Amino acid sequence: MAVLRDTGHTLCNAQLELEITPPNDGYPISINVEMSGKCGPDNVTDVPDYFAYYQVGEPGTYQM
């Protein structure tokens, strides 16, 4: 994940929240979003600025 300012510049100190709602459940789950420590000003990289992990439990449509 990455975060950009309204001007399009990279933001490296955002406090992100991610909620995922599994199919057929209706209850959102809060997922921890971590900083990679590799964020830089307006750079292009293969390393995400922010990341999160979630193991799906069933097939279907998940909302984020």
Side-chain angles (χ1 to χ4, degrees):
M1 289 182 261
V3 178
L4 302 177
R5 298 180 186 274
D6 290 338
T7 58
H9 298 287
T10 305
L11 184 60
C12 292
N13 61 350
Q15 298 298 316
L16 301 179
E17 296 179 8
L18 174 62
E19 286 188 347
I20 298 177
T21 303
N24 304 321
D25 189 14
Y27 297 102
I29 300 166
S30 292
I31 305 299
N32 186 37
V33 178
E34 301 179 41
M35 294 182 198
S36 68
K38 302 291 184 181
C39 185
D42 302 332
N43 63 346
V44 176
T45 178
D46 291 333
V47 178
D49 298 337
Y50 304 89
F51 62 93
Y53 295 102
Y54 177 76
Q55 180 66 44
V56 298
E58 60 183 296
T61 302
Y62 289 74
Q63 294 186 6
M64 297 173 53

